Every structure is written in structure tokens, then in C-alpha cells.
């Protein structure tokens, strides 16, 4: 698979990141925002692994970081969903716009 | 264009298409399902990159646990009365522009890269047997992060339970 150039993986990673960012910024459901965050984290992991392969796996920083990204994402989803469920109990909606009490 | 390269382009197109659909569907459950497709595709991309262990971990944890958890959250917070909730907020158009600009900035930053090692990658360079020592041996440098991540998982576990439990009136 070394015939696939690095740039193609980077385009894929950038596309994933941009799509996730669009979801985070524009969706009106907190769980959709969480899904956008997951897409962004996946784009980052692809980027790390693409560069690790590009340098011939000289150091394994890329895969180790990708493992940590996946682990931290799992922990983050747990806490984020707990928060969303608690918010839903209070506000009867999971729209982030409804939780804008602190907004100027 | 060998068959495997063609398959890579198909998988990449699937990943991006499913991600776009996951971010734009009206039905939240469909969004979660398209996210599952996209994450499976990313696991395939990991296989093309030669990181088999990470592909397995991706399927196990991201697809197998994170998306299941997201679907739990969708089921538990579904407002069955309102099916016509708006999808996008007021800044949807500008956030689309910002997202495209961010993607363009990332690609601009990596437009000229030095070529990698000319020789082909030695077999077994990305093996799992090399990844384990990275995480556990003190001289490799990631053992502290490894221990901290395990503490983080414990904290997330306890924190999620504490946050989500019902308010209890303490009679004592």
C-alpha cells in the first residue's frame, strides 16, 4: 500500500476535520455536536498515522498518539453524554441554544 | 491504479460522504448510523496505512462502544413531541465557510513536504510488538501518559455516574 501518496491521506484527514468542525459549529442538537467532535478526532488520528507511515515507522509516536486519542475520546463521550442527559432532564431539550444562560 | 488503490479511493469517498451525511441529516438516528459507516471506513483507512491494531481498536471502541453510547443518548433524550426540530442554527452558513477555510488552511500548510525514506517500509515495522514497549517501558517516554489515561478513564467513569444520577434528597 505504499503506492498511495501521503497527500491523499492528508486530504482525507483535512476533509474529516472540516466536516466535523461544521457539525460542531452548526448543529442544534448536543449529540450531533458530539458526533462532530468524534469526526474531528478521527481526522486527527488518520493524520498522525499517515505521517508515521510516511517516515517509515521510525518512531511510533503516531500510533501511540492515535491510541490515546481513541481512549480519551471514549472517556469524553461518557462524560459528555452524562452532561447532556442531565441537561435534558432540566431543560426538556437537548438544544445547546437552550443552555445559553451565560450568554451576554 | 491497482485494485487496492482503487479500493482505497472508494473507502475514502465513503468516509467523507458518510461524514457529510452524518452532519446534515434531519433524523438524529440516521446521523448516528452514517457516523458508524464513516468510522468503519476510517478503520479501513487505518488498514491501508498498515496499522492493523489501530483498525481493530477503532472498530472495537469507536464503532462498538462510542457510537452505541451515542445511540443510547439519542434514545434517552429524544423529544417525541417535536419531530420538526431545526437542524442548523443561525450561523450554519458561516460555519460552513469557516470549516472549508480550516480544511484549506490545513492543506495549504502541508502542500510541500519532504519525501519520506526511499526504501520500502520493512515488514513488521508497525507491528503490535513494537507498540507495547512504547506504552509500558519507562525509557520510551509514554508510560506516564499511559498511567494518566487509566486514571482519566476512572475519573470519567466516576464523573459520568455522579453527573447523571438523579438528585437525591438526603433525609439525614
Amino acid at each position: 500500500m505504499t503506492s498511495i501518496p501521503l497527500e491523499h491521506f492528508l486530504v482525507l484527514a483535512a476533509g474529516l476535520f472540516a466536516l466535523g468542525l461544521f457539525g460542531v459549529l452548526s448543529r442544534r442538537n448536543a449529540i450531533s455536536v458530539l458526533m462532530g467532535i468524534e469526526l474531528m478526532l478521527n481526522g486527527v488520528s488518520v493524520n498522525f498515522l499517515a505521517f508515521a507511515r510516511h517516515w517509515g515507522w521510525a518512531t511510533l509516536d503516531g500510533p501511540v498518539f492515535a491510541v490515546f486519542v481513541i481512549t480519551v475520546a471514549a472517556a469524553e463521550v461518557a462524560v459528555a453524554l452524562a452532561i447532556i442527559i442531565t441537561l435534558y432532564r432540566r431543560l426538556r431539550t437537548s438544544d445547546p441554544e437552550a443552555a445559553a444562560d451565560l450568554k451576554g | 491504479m491497482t485494485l487496492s488503490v482503487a479500493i482505497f479511493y472508494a473507502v475514502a469517498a465513503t468516509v467523507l460522504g458518510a461524514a457529510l451525511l452524518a452532519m446534515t441529516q434531519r433524523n438524529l438516528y440516521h446521523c448516528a448510523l452514517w457516523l458508524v459507516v464513516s468510522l468503519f471506513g476510517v478503520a479501513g483507512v487505518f488498514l491501508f496505512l498498515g496499522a492493523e491494531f489501530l483498525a481493530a481498536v477503532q472498530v472495537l471502541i469507536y464503532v462498538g462502544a462510542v457510537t452505541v453510547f451515542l445511540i443510547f443518548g439519542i434514545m434517552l433524550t429524544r423529544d417525541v413531541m417535536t419531530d420538526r426540530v431545526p437542524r442548523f442554527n443561525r450561523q450554519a452558513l458561516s460555519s460552513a465557510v469557516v470549516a472549508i477555510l480550516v480544511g484549506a488552511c490545513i492543506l495549504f500548510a502541508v502542500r510541500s513536504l519532504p519525501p519520506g525514506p526511499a526504501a520500502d517500509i520493512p515488514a513488521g515495522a508497525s507491528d503490535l510488538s513494537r507498540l507495547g514497549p512504547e506504552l509500558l517501558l519507562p525509557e520510551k517516554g509514554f508510560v506516564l501518559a499511559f498511567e494518566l489515561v487509566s486514571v482519566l478513564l476512572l475519573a470519567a467513569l466516576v464523573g459520568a455516574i455522579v453527573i447523571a444520577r438523579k438528585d437525591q434528597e438526603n433525609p439525614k
Side-chain angles (χ1 to χ4, degrees):
Chain A
M1 313 296 181
T2 55
S3 54
I4 305 173
L6 170 71
E7 289 78 17
H8 296 200
F9 288 108
L10 298 185
V11 167
L12 173 65
L16 269 176
F17 192 83
L19 282 169
L21 182 64
F22 168 65
V24 167
L25 291 176
S26 68
R27 294 282 294 195
R28 280 190 76 159
N29 192 307
I31 299 189
S32 296
V33 170
L34 201 50
M35 287 195 261
I37 294 176
E38 298 308 317
L39 278 180
M40 283 164 50
L41 289 173
N42 271 278
V44 164
S45 291
V46 169
N47 208 327
F48 267 112
L49 286 173
F51 272 109
R53 186 196 76 140
H54 180 68
W55 301 120
W57 309 103
T59 82
L60 280 185
D61 292 354
V64 167
F65 208 97
V67 166
F68 283 140
V69 162
I70 292 178
T71 312
V72 172
E76 160 228 339
V77 163
V79 176
L81 273 169
I83 293 176
I84 290 173
I85 288 177
T86 308
L87 261 180
Y88 181 78
R89 281 199 206 124
R90 300 282 171 89
L91 302 175
R92 286 283 115 202
T93 177
S94 44
D95 190 341
E97 307 261 320
D101 269 352
L102 290 176
K103 195 152 83 170
Chain B
M1 172 85 72
T2 64
L3 179 63
S4 56
V5 175
I7 292 178
F8 165 71
Y9 289 131
V11 168
T14 305
V15 168
L16 290 176
L20 178 66
L21 284 168
M23 292 289 106
T24 54
Q25 287 292 95
R26 182 173 292 280
N27 188 333
L28 196 54
Y29 191 52
H30 291 179
C31 290
L33 293 179
W34 283 118
L35 184 70
V36 169
V37 171
S38 189
L39 294 180
F40 259 122
V42 170
V45 169
F46 286 169
L47 282 178
F48 276 105
L49 283 167
E52 294 93 3
F53 172 65
L54 270 153
V57 167
Q58 166 90 0
V59 173
L60 265 177
I61 295 183
Y62 251 116
V63 178
V66 166
T67 48
V68 169
F69 209 2
L70 282 173
I71 292 176
F72 271 144
I74 292 172
M75 300 294 188
L76 285 174
T77 61
R78 197 161 47 167
D79 202 356
V80 291
M81 301 291 284
T82 60
D83 262 350
R84 295 282 101 191
V85 290
R87 276 180 298 169
F88 300 115
N89 54 23
R90 278 195 316 266
Q91 60 243 27
L93 193 54
S94 41
S95 60
V97 170
V98 164
I100 292 175
L101 283 178
V102 165
C105 277
I106 294 174
L107 293 176
F108 180 75
V110 297
R111 69 195 180 285
S112 59
L113 290 166
D120 207 350
I121 299 166
S126 63
D127 265 358
L128 187 54
S129 57
R130 278 189 68 199
L131 191 61
E134 288 286 324
L135 287 172
L136 291 175
L137 289 182
E139 57 262 19
K140 297 282 194 164
F142 286 112
V143 61
L144 178 63
F146 180 74
E147 300 299 333
L148 283 178
V149 155
S150 51
V151 174
L152 172 75
L153 283 173
L154 175 67
L157 174 68
V158 173
I161 293 175
V162 166
I163 291 175
R165 75 178 170 185
K166 295 210 185 275
D167 294 327
Q168 296 167 2
E169 309 299 323
N170 198 341
K172 298 193 271 280

